[in-house]
Amino acid sequence: MSAHGHVDLGHTAAGWAGTAVAVIGLTLTGIAVTSVSASLALVGAAVTLGAGALTWLLQLAGWGKPSGPRPESEWPWRIRDRAVRRGHPDCLGCRLAGRGARRSENASNTARVASTITG
């Protein structure tokens, strides 16, 4: 049991990998500032931005988890999220990838409009 109670805080492979790469990028940027190196600062900034892209891609591959409560059997970070292919509700990353509830809502609205026009 953690200090936060008996809950899953979403520790995932995507989160850990993105955090590790972001720390490396920020470290490079910090070294660039102290050594007054513009090129190293750009490399550090690129690595830091790449951490966000890496995290997003890993989440879309199923190595992240949706927000909200999950069964305790899904808490370990080595368990892949099989529902990610359909998209998570209210997930910006899934919507940016063209997945999620918005696409299914639009499809049902299109079908409703088509049936109204033909019927």
Side-chain angles (χ1 to χ4, degrees), residues 39-74:
S39 59
L40 186 58
L42 290 175
V43 169
V47 170
T48 304
L49 290 174
L54 173 69
T55 305
W56 181 49
L57 291 173
L58 286 172
Q59 189 266 339
L60 292 176
W63 290 110
K65 294 180 185 175
S67 60
R70 286 177 292 283
E72 193 168 346
S73 63
E74 296 179 13

Side-chain angles (χ1 to χ4, degrees), residues 17-28:
T19 300
V21 173
V23 166
I24 291 168
L26 291 171
T27 301
L28 289 173

